[in-house]
Amino acid sequence: MNFHQKPITFVHQVNLKVQSLTHALDFYQHVIGFKILEKNDTSAHLTADGKTVLLSIYQPEKVVPKSSRTTGLYHFALLLPNRSDLASIVDHFAKIDLQLGAADHLVSEALYLSDPDGNGIEIYVDRDSSNWKWNNGEVAMTTDPLNVADLLSKEKGSWKGLPSGTKMGHIHLHVSDLKKAEEFYVKGLGFNVVNRYGNQALFISDGKYHHYIGLNTWNGVGAPAPSANSVGLESYGLLVANEEKRNNIIAQIKQIGAPVYEKNGKVITVDPAGNRISLDI
């Protein structure tokens, strides 16, 4: 099943702040394999299929390095269409001697790395959803070693950049208070909790995907939001089915007392940790 489509609500775009647009573009083009869709002196929109923006990067005025122990981005995650695509990018990373982490999450197989500014990135492929294990509304996920030898033993093509079917699979965020975050994302945005990692993290979703958003307090309960000109997450976009669904979400957000406003033609809300979200149609 293709979970990343309407009427499901899912993360479709991430917007990052970087210290140097030139250095970031070199990394995202030649290491990750994005194509440039549009670019100016301070920003660029990046795509895998030549038409859909998955990642936008911005160089703010008086930008400062990524703050430590704050809320914001833990990682954004690019979902590849096939396991062979993951094998191809492992080959590519090995050839350029890139250091990275890897994990088997039962529902998916994943690679982990960071961009030159320390923004976390996951690149992964899902296992067939028929093999995911659900119990009382929660999906089984773990962090086991990735069987790289098995991955590379399967048929794979040569790396030619991100395949056109790449999607923004999910986003994982640092928050300051897990209870407040859960209220915002469940009662406000209308997601469901599908996995809890003790009292430190939870994973939320729509349409029985394993997760579209991860939330954790690993930077500390009560962690502050980063400064506005700090490297890191600028915002991310949720794709909502239609105007009626978005109006319902707006009403729910207002009911719990969270902010919602319009800016530059977009409907924006902000979670309790200061992470900015656009509600897109």
Side-chain angles (χ1 to χ4, degrees):
M1 178 180 176
N2 186 351
F3 291 93
H4 295 75
Q5 62 184 9
K6 295 179 179 182
I8 293 170
T9 301
F10 60 93
V11 178
H12 73 110
Q13 181 177 335
V14 170
N15 309 305
L16 295 181
K17 294 173 286 185
V18 298
Q19 288 192 84
S20 166
L21 184 66
T22 300
H23 291 159
L25 276 178
D26 181 64
F27 172 84
Y28 280 109
Q29 284 181 273
H30 301 117
V31 176
I32 302 301
F34 275 110
K35 303 176 184 73
I36 296 175
L37 188 62
E38 191 178 334
K39 176 183 176 294
N40 59 33
D41 290 343
T42 58
S43 67
H45 301 307
L46 306 179
T47 180
D49 64 5
K51 55 186 178 181
T52 306
V53 178
L54 297 178
L55 181 70
S56 290
I57 53 177
Y58 305 86
Q59 182 181 322
E61 288 186 17
K62 299 180 181 178
V63 61
V64 296
K66 186 176 179 67
S67 306
S68 62
R69 311 296 291 178
T70 63
T71 60
L73 184 72
Y74 181 51
H75 64 245
F76 68 87
L78 298 171
L79 173 60
L80 303 179
N82 300 298
R83 194 170 190 248
S84 59
D85 298 318
L86 191 67
S88 295
I89 204 166
V90 168
D91 256 358
H92 161 62
F93 288 157
K95 287 174 181 174
I96 63 174
D97 198 27
L98 185 74
Q99 298 298 307
L100 68 156
D104 185 327
H105 295 304
L106 297 182
V107 295
S108 63
E109 296 172 287
L111 309 175
Y112 293 93
L113 63 156
S114 295
D115 76 4
D117 291 297
N119 293 308
I121 304 167
E122 176 182 345
I123 300 174
Y124 74 109
V125 62
D126 278 333
R127 286 201 166 92
D128 192 296
S129 59
S130 64
N131 295 319
W132 302 350
K133 305 299 183 186
W134 291 85
N135 183 29
N136 294 324
E138 292 203 12
V139 64
M141 293 193 290
T142 188
T143 301
D144 293 331
L146 179 65
N147 189 337
V148 177
D150 179 73
L151 177 69
L152 295 179
S153 71
K154 307 305 180 187
E155 184 178 346
K156 58 184 179 296
S158 59
W159 184 81
K160 297 177 181 177
L162 291 174
S164 62
T166 302
K167 301 180 186 298
M168 185 60 69
H170 64 266
I171 193 168
H172 194 151
L173 302 168
H174 291 295
V175 297
S176 53
D177 186 304
L178 213 54
K179 187 175 180 180
K180 290 179 179 178
E182 181 174 346
E183 179 187 42
F184 175 84
Y185 283 95
V186 174
K187 293 183 179 179
L189 294 181
F191 286 104
N192 300 305
V193 175
V194 292
N195 184 277
R196 294 181 187 273
Y197 189 80
N199 61 356
Q200 299 178 359
L202 58 87
F203 299 86
I204 61 174
S205 188
D206 186 23
K208 294 208 75 174
Y209 189 56
H210 56 72
H211 70 293
Y212 290 117
I213 302 171
L215 304 161
N216 73 68
T217 54
W218 297 331
N219 272 352
V221 174
S227 62
N229 59 335
S230 167
V231 159
L233 183 68
E234 191 277 330
S235 64
Y236 69 93
L238 287 175
L239 198 61
V240 180
N242 50 45
E243 188 75 34
E244 181 182 6
K245 179 72 177 287
R246 183 165 68 178
N247 287 339
N248 289 339
I249 291 173
I250 290 169
Q252 291 166 185
I253 291 169
K254 289 179 177 178
Q255 191 166 5
I256 64 170
V260 59
Y261 57 92
E262 288 193 31
K263 183 177 181 181
N264 299 327
K266 285 186 171 289
V267 177
I268 306 293
T269 185
V270 184
D271 78 9
N275 297 304
R276 190 179 300 106
I277 305 143
S278 64
L279 303 175
D280 305 324
I281 297 175

